[in-house]
Amino acid sequence: EAMRAVFAAHSIDAVIHFAGFKAVGESVRKPVKYYRNNLDTTLTLLEVMAEFGCRRLVFSSSATVYGGESPSPLTEDMPVGQCTNPYGRTKYFIEELLRDAAAAESELSVVLLRYFNPIGAHESGRIGERPNGVPNNLMPYVTQVAAGIREKLSVFGGDYPTPDGTCIRDYVHVMDLAEGHAAALAYAQEHTGAEVFNLGTGRGTSVLELINAFQQATGVTVPYVMAGRRAGDAAVCYAGTEKAAQVLHGRGGRLRICAAMPGAGSSAGENEYQPKNTGYAGRVPYFLAGLPLGEEVRSGGGHRDGHGLSGRRWAKARRTNRNVKERWNLDILDWQTSDLPPLHKFHKKTLVRIRRILRVLVRCAEKSFDVPSVYMIRRNIL
Ligand code: UDP
């Protein structure tokens, strides 16, 4: 009913289906919960889409459907389904049911996107990855250690058959992943049936390489210890990107199949990660994700962003945050509503004048900055 209400209230041409439980460990402990949630919701979505004549669907699948058997680079035509955990199997089952649905209904268009390891943040630095509780994934854990929220990182396994003994993954910048979705939607508009694409960079980066690259780029040390292997981890997993590059590139967005890591792996995108030259023109690096930025940090005591940090740790988080911002010229992040005196304290006429001036400023800003950040200013202040 809830989904029907959404479709009834809006005219929806296409759906990008991101929803689902995604913690591997929890899925092993509570498989029924995972199957019930991830499969049921997809079935409901398909039914309601059919009811309202919405015939395009882009689905967030995962590299995990390849299982651990095939050698990297993993290409879309390799066998799938040998998943090592229930979470992965829900992705695999959903892929299968969407293929069946597309085979049965000639008007349906389904694009399955197999994500590799998305990391990073929006250019504004305001939208990043800050999971609730202890992060399961590597990058948010690294950023939280850098910010002083966690003491040290455990590297799961140093005895894999890789050059430095740690696992190799394909870390793709979340903004490239977003471009992939724009391209997939455009593709869905022009085709029917089911099609599958990897979204990755095609480059492998080891855990230690990732930590080093992070330290190099931020100037922040990330203490780590070597720990035992994590159950179910494959040694090497990176994408074959030829199909996405050929079919999706240049479609509906600026999809770039490029490296998300500075100096990691092979000759990864060095130009994009020179400190001091990014600002809003370039891409704010992935590692800002999860760092406490802006007002949360300034608010100091009291709120503390739910992390319950001790005074010492909080001070360290603030320092780290300031250093990273300075390094990347992110001063503009400080400009927030909280910097202004409370508006209700002004006389009404003054208020009207302030708003008028701000509008002019925003118009100027629109010419210089990217749209999302201007939108934030609009929403916060006007
Ligand atoms: N990893 C690690 N320490 C952590 C979290 C992850 O060493 O605290 C390793 C993990 O073993 C894997 C890689 O980092 O080799 C990426 O793990 P993540 O959970 O981010 O993604 P996955 O590839 O499992 O989907």
Side-chain angles (χ1 to χ4, degrees):
E1 278 314 309
M3 209 178 284
R4 211 171 262 134
V6 174
F7 275 80
H10 306 276
S11 163
I12 297 176
D13 292 324
V15 173
I16 305 180
H17 179 14
F18 295 114
F21 291 146
K22 57 155 283 228
V24 172
E26 189 190 30
S27 81
V28 175
R29 291 192 304 276
K30 302 177 183 171
V32 177
K33 175 178 166 178
Y34 271 65
Y35 289 120
R36 168 68 77 193
N37 182 67
N38 293 3
L39 295 176
D40 246 13
T41 47
T42 306
L43 290 168
T44 306
L45 176 65
L46 276 178
E47 282 173 359
V48 176
M49 281 177 65
E51 212 175 291
F52 285 85
C54 180
R55 305 283 60 199
R56 292 180 201 112
L57 179 64
V58 175
F59 174 64
S60 312
S61 187
S62 163
T64 190
V65 299
Y66 290 112
E69 300 300 307
S70 303
S72 288
L74 297 163
T75 51
E76 289 85 346
D77 52 5
M78 284 180 172
V80 289
Q82 294 305 312
C83 307
T84 51
N85 57 72
Y87 156 73
R89 258 187 297 278
T90 66
K91 291 291 180 195
Y92 167 63
F93 289 161
I94 293 172
E95 281 200 2
E96 293 297 292
L97 83 87
L98 291 177
R99 281 181 200 283
D100 286 344
E105 295 174 53
S106 59
E107 282 170 17
L108 191 60
S109 175
V110 169
V111 183
L112 309 167
L113 298 178
R114 291 183 184 149
Y115 302 172
F116 279 69
N117 289 59
I119 55 172
H122 182 260
E123 277 91 343
S124 66
R126 286 174 186 273
I127 310 172
E129 188 179 14
R130 182 133 31 106
N132 294 329
V134 183
N136 289 310
N137 298 112
L138 180 60
M139 185 47 82
Y141 209 107
V142 167
T143 56
Q144 292 197 6
V145 171
I149 293 166
R150 317 230 164 250
E151 208 168 320
K152 54 181 184 292
L153 172 78
S154 296
V155 175
F156 298 144
D159 57 351
Y160 284 98
T162 60
D164 65 18
T166 63
C167 289
I168 287 177
R169 293 286 180 275
D170 185 333
Y171 297 95
V172 53
H173 196 286
V174 70
M175 295 309 292
D176 286 337
L177 201 77
E179 302 283 357
H181 289 75
L185 273 180
Y187 180 89
Q189 209 135 11
E190 295 159 15
H191 299 81
T192 54
E195 198 53 81
V196 57
F197 298 103
N198 287 336
L199 288 184
T201 66
R203 292 191 185 93
T205 301
S206 77
V207 176
L208 292 182
E209 282 176 325
L210 184 131
I211 296 169
N212 284 335
F214 182 97
Q215 295 184 142
Q216 235 176 45
T218 55
V220 179
T221 307
V222 178
Y224 67 87
V225 288
M226 299 306 292
R229 291 184 178 192
R230 185 173 70 176
D233 270 345
V236 179
C237 171
Y238 61 91
T241 54
E242 211 170 294
K243 186 174 174 190
Q246 275 178 6
V247 183
L248 294 184
H249 184 84
R251 240 175 231 281
R254 301 169 289 130
L255 176 68
R256 287 174 302 169
I257 304 293
C258 73
M261 292 297 305
S266 50
S267 58
E270 283 148 29
N271 295 336
E272 295 174 42
Y273 290 97
Q274 297 305 318
K276 290 281 181 204
N277 75 358
T278 52
Y280 273 71
R283 299 194 312 166
V284 173
Y286 60 87
F287 48 73
L288 284 173
L291 282 182
L293 287 167
E295 80 266 61
E296 295 133 309
V297 169
R298 274 199 313 278
S299 67
H303 169 46
R304 298 196 174 181
D305 199 25
H307 288 303
L309 299 183
S310 69
R312 196 173 50 84
R313 286 230 181 141
W314 188 254
K316 189 178 170 211
R318 287 174 64 132
R319 234 181 4 258
T320 305
N321 181 57
R322 206 169 41 239
N323 291 344
V324 171
K325 273 203 283 192
E326 270 166 21
R327 212 178 162 92
W328 290 87
N329 286 333
L330 294 175
D331 300 345
I332 191 151
L333 286 179
D334 281 335
W335 196 55
Q336 306 210 351
T337 13
S338 53
D339 290 340
L340 298 169
L343 290 183
H344 66 264
K345 288 206 173 146
F346 290 106
H347 186 273
K348 232 183 168 178
K349 266 192 185 161
T350 318
L351 209 56
V352 170
R353 257 185 234 140
I354 290 176
R355 287 222 159 95
R356 198 174 300 144
I357 293 167
L358 283 174
R359 261 189 222 111
V360 174
L361 279 177
V362 165
R363 265 205 296 281
C364 296
E366 268 167 348
K367 291 191 182 127
S368 320
F369 300 124
D370 62 302
V371 173
S373 51
V374 175
Y375 172 74
M376 289 300 293
I377 296 169
R378 261 188 201 293
R379 217 184 52 177
N380 283 346
I381 297 168
L382 298 184

